[in-house]
Amino acid sequence: MDNLSDTLKKLKITAVDRTEDSLEGCLDCLLQALAQNNMETSEKIQESGILQLFASLLIPQSSCTAKVANIIAEVAKNGEVFLKNFSAGNIFSFTPYLSNLCELHVWMLD
């Protein structure tokens, strides 16, 4: 999981710079980590604060949009993370990200 911590740190930097190639590599690492251990990876993603950056990555014409949406869906599928947010009063912690994705989908259909 050290690699995951490094990936999360790198993702915070590259998300600000919007370097598509670096972002895609980081997102691929997160998806692989989620596939291997969804619960632990979901918790680390949640704790890292990286989810706040994801809303800014859900933009039209971005090659990263589908991967970001997939990561959000995988984290949201984790019942432990969902319940943790519910009991902490953060039940809607994923709502801004998914709302942006819905707006993006509608935009793409126009």
Side-chain angles (χ1 to χ4, degrees):
M1 283 292 161
D2 287 338
N3 191 27
L4 177 59
S5 297
D6 292 342
T7 298
L8 290 168
K9 288 176 189 172
K10 184 177 179 183
L11 185 57
K12 285 182 182 181
I13 295 167
T14 57
V16 173
D17 295 342
R18 297 210 184 252
T19 311
E20 292 282 325
D21 292 340
S22 296
L23 277 173
E24 293 238 7
C26 291
L27 296 172
D28 286 338
C29 287
L30 288 182
L31 287 168
Q32 288 174 357
L34 284 163
Q36 292 174 2
N37 188 340
N38 187 290
M39 181 183 284
E40 186 176 348
T41 302
S42 294
E43 288 174 358
K44 285 198 178 260
I45 290 171
Q46 180 75 20
E47 291 167 1
S48 74
I50 200 74
L51 290 174
Q52 286 84 9
L53 292 175
F54 281 177
S56 67
L57 297 176
L58 292 172
I59 56 175
Q61 311 286 323
S62 173
S63 61
C64 298
T65 300
K67 290 180 183 181
V68 170
N70 195 4
I71 291 168
I72 293 169
E74 289 298 319
V75 171
K77 283 193 315 190
N78 183 319
E80 293 294 320
V81 172
F82 181 81
L83 290 174
K84 187 185 226 180
N85 282 300
F86 181 79
S87 61
N90 298 326
I91 188 64
F92 301 109
S93 64
F94 296 111
T95 303
Y97 317 111
L98 299 176
S99 176
N100 281 352
L101 184 60
C102 289
E103 289 174 17
L104 172 64
H105 182 69
V106 169
W107 177 84
M108 292 173 76
L109 292 175
D110 288 342

